[in-house]
Amino acid sequence: MAAHVIADDAEALAVAEALAAEFTAGAAERDAQRRLPRAEVDRLSASGLLAVTVPAEHGGADVRAATLAEIFRLLGSADGSLAQIPQSHFVYVNVIRRQGTEEQRKFFFAELLAGRRFGNAQSEAGTRHVQDIRTRLEPRPDGSYLLTGVKHYCTGALFADWIPVLARAEDDNLHVAYVPGDAPGVTVVDDWDGMGQRTTASGTVRLDAVSVPADRVLPHHLTFQGPQLHGAVAQLLHAAIDAGIAGGALAQAAEFVRTRSRPWFESGTESAAEDPLLIQRFGELALQVRTAEALLKEAARTVDAARDHLTDDSAAEASIAVAAAKVRAAEAAVEVASALFEVAGTRSALDSLNLHRHWRDARTHSLHDPARWKVQHIGRYVLSGTRPPRHGLL
């Protein structure tokens, strides 16, 4: 696959804005028909957006966190499913940046610049909790591994050239094995049936004694032994998707009220958009979206500052800022996407219009990890200065 190589942050944002406008047009239909966005994902690859965090010394744009967050917000405002697909891609690019050898970086960064995609095979169902990983990497005499396990919620795996698999090695430490999507023993099952984010293809990946060379395995557990931004960047992208969904829902609600809603007869106005009660409600909803977007920008700036001068304190500040942004963005996405029907009126509930996709996407995406625990960590940080834990979800 030939891919454009994006030069800098400004070009990355311009490309993302153009693609978001393009992806908006078919989003409702893709969701209604559950038509997987293969062509759209190919466009993402060809555009060069999926390689924008490749370091400059390897030929990439190495964009700032603020730029990456804005890319995801733009994509999220267009299609909450499509925006979710590359989230894990960038998370596992970061693993290579931090834990890869020079040879691994050289190989995988060249793959990314050529338009290759990472999926993910991280979560497992039926275990004690989300960090109870039972997939195993068994060593072989020649130094390679056999990889065995079953993964769920594997967003992006169906579209992936490489599937990063979170697994435990013989020492029980967590590693990431980068496995070709078409490797013998790998089965990707499109069995995702969530009410929202319907076209992410977040199904099951089965790994049946998959052979993995030693140079395709990275020691992920080392990521958390010092100050790190792994969790902050991952959660920043989740927050950006939520902020995008909120903004997209608000824009569609406003367009519907301007062009299709009838005024309530008691308002005495000629159009619904002139109804003072609707004007008030749109102002309230706009405040929620603006707050979410402002916290997202602040969180991204804090991540960028921490990346420039990484310490325990700067990493903690980044995690707390991102946690605040994620909590507020998730709340805004769910409420604004629900209020769309309140302000637009009865006709907006027609299934044929599929305006409910915004709420379904917001409600589904906001379940990735509980906001209540983020609030707990924020509270502890404010009261006692307790730094948030290094477990990758903050």
Side-chain angles (χ1 to χ4, degrees):
M1 176 187 298
H4 174 67
V5 177
I6 289 175
D8 54 29
D9 293 67
E11 184 184 4
L13 290 173
V15 170
E17 188 170 4
L19 285 179
E22 178 183 321
F23 295 158
T24 299
E29 182 181 354
R30 285 192 297 271
D31 176 271
Q33 298 177 2
R34 198 179 178 272
R35 178 174 63 78
L36 298 182
R38 295 183 185 275
E40 288 77 14
V41 172
D42 284 344
R43 290 278 289 121
L44 275 176
S45 290
S47 75
L49 275 184
L50 299 185
V52 294
T53 57
V54 170
E57 60 267 28
H58 288 272
D62 199 10
V63 302
R64 308 288 283 172
T67 298
L68 192 61
E70 180 62 5
I71 288 169
F72 273 80
R73 190 195 68 79
L74 288 166
L75 295 176
S77 69
D79 185 338
S81 283
L82 189 52
Q84 183 62 41
I85 292 171
Q87 191 269 344
S88 291
H89 169 95
F90 284 100
V91 169
Y92 286 102
V93 173
N94 276 347
V95 173
I96 293 169
R97 287 188 64 143
R98 187 170 174 92
Q99 298 303 336
T101 65
E102 184 56 34
E103 285 303 310
Q104 287 170 328
R105 293 188 189 110
K106 182 178 179 181
F107 173 80
F108 279 115
F109 291 153
E111 287 284 280
L112 293 167
L113 290 170
R116 307 287 190 269
R117 297 188 288 263
F118 292 167
N120 98 90
Q122 178 170 287
S123 294
E124 300 179 12
T127 58
R128 291 184 302 115
H129 51 70
V130 70
Q131 293 203 332
D132 181 15
I133 302 298
R134 301 182 183 180
T135 298
R136 306 301 299 192
L137 275 167
E138 300 293 339
R140 304 169 79 183
D142 64 357
S144 66
Y145 297 88
L146 284 180
L147 179 63
T148 302
V150 179
K151 297 289 189 174
H152 298 268
Y153 314 117
C154 300
T155 302
L158 197 67
F159 311 105
D161 299 290
W162 293 90
I163 302 176
V165 181
L166 197 60
R168 295 197 182 276
E170 192 176 27
D171 58 7
D172 213 36
N173 284 322
L174 282 176
H175 291 68
V176 177
Y178 289 75
V179 178
D182 59 357
V186 175
T187 304
V188 182
V189 185
D190 179 23
D191 58 359
W192 169 243
D193 65 348
M195 69 172 182
Q197 294 197 307
R198 298 182 65 218
T199 61
T200 58
S202 301
T204 301
V205 171
R206 302 184 186 279
L207 306 146
D208 183 16
V210 179
S211 180
V212 184
D215 62 358
R216 296 294 178 261
V217 177
L218 280 72
H220 190 37
H221 62 284
L222 298 180
T223 299
F224 307 103
Q225 291 187 3
Q228 48 80 36
L229 298 171
H230 178 84
V233 172
Q235 292 294 307
L236 180 71
L237 303 187
H238 281 309
I241 293 168
D242 283 335
I245 293 172
L250 182 64
Q252 194 148 20
E255 176 66 16
F256 195 95
V257 168
R258 283 193 299 265
T259 61
R260 306 179 77 167
S261 294
R262 295 184 298 178
W264 183 244
F265 70 95
E266 291 179 283
S267 70
T269 62
E270 292 298 317
S271 71
E274 296 173 314
D275 182 336
L277 298 183
L278 279 182
I279 291 171
Q280 176 72 19
R281 187 65 175 128
F282 268 98
E284 294 167 351
L285 297 174
L287 284 174
Q288 291 204 42
V289 173
R290 284 173 175 262
T291 301
E293 292 174 351
L295 284 173
L296 179 68
K297 290 178 181 177
E298 176 61 22
R301 284 195 294 268
T302 308
V303 169
D304 279 328
R307 191 175 84 165
D308 292 340
H309 303 285
L310 187 60
T311 65
D312 285 329
D313 287 337
S314 67
E317 284 284 347
S319 288
I320 292 299
V322 171
K326 179 64 173 68
V327 171
R328 184 57 66 217
E331 291 174 346
V334 171
E335 180 164 348
V336 174
S338 175
L340 183 156
F341 304 99
E342 168 198 335
V343 296
T346 306
R347 189 181 180 190
S348 65
L350 293 176
D351 196 53
S352 58
L353 297 175
N354 199 19
L355 294 176
H356 47 71
R357 72 178 175 89
H358 298 290
W359 183 87
R360 289 186 289 102
D361 285 348
R363 184 68 279 177
T364 300
H365 182 252
S366 62
L367 301 176
H368 269 83
D369 47 272
R372 59 188 178 273
W373 275 98
K374 297 185 186 302
V375 176
Q376 282 281 311
H377 292 304
I378 294 169
R380 290 192 184 104
Y381 188 71
V382 170
L383 280 172
S384 62
T386 302
R387 296 187 187 112
R390 297 170 178 163
H391 54 42
L393 295 175
L394 279 168

